[in-house]
Amino acid sequence: MLRTLFRPSLLLACVLASGCGPSAEAPQTPSPQGTHTQSIRWPRWIRIVAADVVGAVSGAKQGAEIGERILGSEGAVIGGIVGGVISGAQASAEAATRQTTTSGVIAGSRSSVDPSNARNSFDHIGRHHNEVLDGQVGIIGPGGCIPNPFPFPFPRDRTKGPIWDFSLRTLNAPPELMKAPELEAAWNKSLDFVASVEQTEEIEVAIANGVKSGMLTPPVGERLISYFNAVAPLDTDKMIETTKSFEAKTLEDKGLTEQERQSLLSGFSVARYSAAYWGEQAARQQSSDWCGCSK
């Protein structure tokens, strides 16, 4: 089990007056068999990527269900895309403002590999995820930078409108879907779930709770746990390549429904692009708009 995977650090490495350089994390402890034990701790920026994945997967599931109810069988696909983008991007921003993005021994690792994956038909979800993040800085950050940690509850009321507009303009989301009251309710429910995952010491417990509450299906929960265990100790490039290998397995997985497959592929797409995005933010250190506003 991965303990303290999403647990926020009590000592924030990034403060407004002192810049955002990397600081050392607790070392990973190999077991006698050469595998990592429960004491493993992810660099904080990778915890943000993990929050993005959970948000995108749960959002895609709920979006697909809502889209199908409103628009019929064809609405499940667009609903899943919209849900994956709006929940994954918002989860990313909220997780980033709760934790510093630059602490950890591999925090300065820019991605040198292409985060795209043409084999994943939902690859564009990750690209849109990063576009939304770039747009959020000016919305929620005073003077075009975001304090880290954010000094008061995250302003979802300020970010919802621009995210909905992005979905209408860029994703060509049907207006009747975006106007549906249940979509906003599902969005908030997904984000509250992500926040609860961050606060839970054991990722297996958090995922199990998500399955019990209906946010995730058992097959998706099982595969997410396997994924998180695989990518936890990796740097940016290896994380992206490992994610692509999980996508290949997902495409061939006979134990998944099409909706479950879409949810996982949406989450994996976000994982790749998010890893590249936050790896870049971490490497930029003081120049990052997400890094305590130190210039």
Side-chain angles (χ1 to χ4, degrees):
M1 292 186 292
L2 292 179
R3 287 187 178 273
T4 67
L5 183 58
F6 293 99
R7 190 174 185 177
S9 171
L10 297 178
L11 295 176
L12 292 163
C14 208
V15 294
L16 300 181
S18 61
C20 302
S23 64
E25 289 276 357
Q28 299 170 0
T29 306
S31 70
Q33 291 77 27
T35 58
H36 292 286
T37 69
Q38 294 179 1
S39 64
I40 187 170
R41 292 174 63 90
W42 286 14
R44 291 177 183 85
W45 70 270
I46 298 186
R47 296 182 205 171
I48 299 170
V49 175
D52 301 355
V53 174
V54 174
V57 171
S58 60
K61 175 183 181 295
Q62 293 185 98
E65 293 170 352
I66 294 169
E68 187 170 19
R69 286 200 298 270
I70 295 176
L71 302 168
S73 57
E74 293 183 0
V77 175
I78 183 60
I81 291 171
V82 169
V85 171
I86 66 176
S87 294
Q90 185 75 3
S92 190
E94 293 190 18
T97 58
R98 283 191 288 262
Q99 304 183 53
T100 174
T101 62
T102 60
S103 181
V105 293
I106 62 171
S109 175
R110 285 186 173 91
S111 171
S112 63
V113 301
D114 184 358
S116 67
N117 183 6
R119 292 194 61 192
N120 184 344
S121 56
F122 300 100
D123 186 66
H124 60 293
I125 290 181
R127 177 167 48 80
H128 291 314
H129 172 273
N130 288 7
E131 291 172 1
V132 174
L133 284 178
D134 280 338
Q136 283 187 330
V137 174
I139 298 168
I140 61 177
C145 63
I146 295 178
N148 198 321
F150 210 65
F152 46 83
F154 194 85
R156 285 183 194 170
D157 58 333
R158 295 219 304 268
T159 52
K160 173 185 173 289
I163 290 178
W164 256 241
D165 289 343
F166 179 90
S167 298
L168 289 166
R169 285 192 333 269
T170 306
L171 303 181
N172 295 318
E176 56 267 43
L177 173 64
M178 302 310 299
K179 292 178 181 177
E182 56 262 48
L183 182 64
E184 182 177 0
W187 181 63
N188 282 303
K189 185 177 179 181
S190 177
L191 297 172
D192 291 343
F193 169 53
V194 173
S196 73
V197 171
E198 284 187 79
Q199 296 164 9
T200 304
E201 290 192 11
E202 298 180 3
I203 185 62
E204 288 89 343
V205 173
I207 296 298
N209 288 338
V211 171
K212 288 179 183 177
S213 68
M215 297 298 297
L216 306 169
T217 66
V220 168
E222 176 184 336
R223 286 153 180 79
L224 280 180
I225 290 173
S226 176
Y227 172 73
F228 287 141
N229 275 282
V231 301
L234 303 181
D235 65 19
T236 314
D237 287 346
K238 290 179 182 176
M239 185 176 187
I240 291 172
E241 294 299 341
T242 299
T243 301
K244 290 179 181 180
S245 72
F246 270 81
E247 289 169 289
K249 293 176 184 176
T250 301
L251 290 169
E252 299 172 358
D253 195 332
K254 306 285 187 194
L256 296 169
T257 67
E258 283 307 307
Q259 190 176 103
E260 290 170 336
R261 197 183 322 279
Q262 177 180 350
S263 294
L264 283 169
L265 290 174
S266 299
F268 291 146
S269 172
V270 167
R272 286 183 279 101
Y273 282 91
S274 179
Y277 185 95
W278 290 113
E280 169 67 18
Q281 298 302 310
R284 288 170 61 188
Q285 299 180 6
Q286 293 182 344
S287 63
S288 171
D289 292 335
W290 292 87
C291 190
C293 304
S294 293
K295 298 291 184 179

Coordinates of all heavy atoms in Angstrom, one line a residue, residues 2 92 123 141 199 294:
L2 N 0.4 2.3 -0.7 CA 1.1 3.5 -0.7 C 0.6 4.5 0.4 O -0.5 5.0 0.3 CB 0.9 4.2 -2.1 CG 1.6 3.5 -3.2 CD1 1.3 4.3 -4.5 CD2 3.1 3.3 -3.0
S92 N -6.7 19.7 -10.8 CA -5.3 20.0 -10.9 C -5.0 21.4 -10.2 O -4.1 21.5 -9.4 CB -4.9 20.1 -12.3 OG -3.5 20.2 -12.5
D123 N -6.8 11.3 -26.4 CA -5.5 12.0 -26.2 C -5.7 13.5 -26.0 O -5.0 14.2 -25.2 CB -4.5 11.7 -27.3 CG -3.1 12.3 -27.0 OD1 -2.5 11.8 -26.0 OD2 -2.7 13.2 -27.7
G141 N -5.3 34.1 -10.0 CA -4.1 34.6 -9.4 C -4.0 36.1 -9.5 O -4.2 36.7 -10.5
Q199 N -6.5 13.7 1.2 CA -6.4 13.8 2.7 C -6.3 12.4 3.3 O -6.1 12.2 4.5 CB -7.6 14.5 3.3 CG -7.7 15.9 2.9 CD -9.1 16.5 3.1 OE1 -9.9 15.9 3.7 NE2 -9.3 17.8 2.6
S294 N 6.7 34.1 -6.6 CA 8.1 34.7 -6.4 C 8.7 34.8 -7.8 O 8.7 33.9 -8.6 CB 9.0 33.8 -5.6 OG 8.5 33.8 -4.3

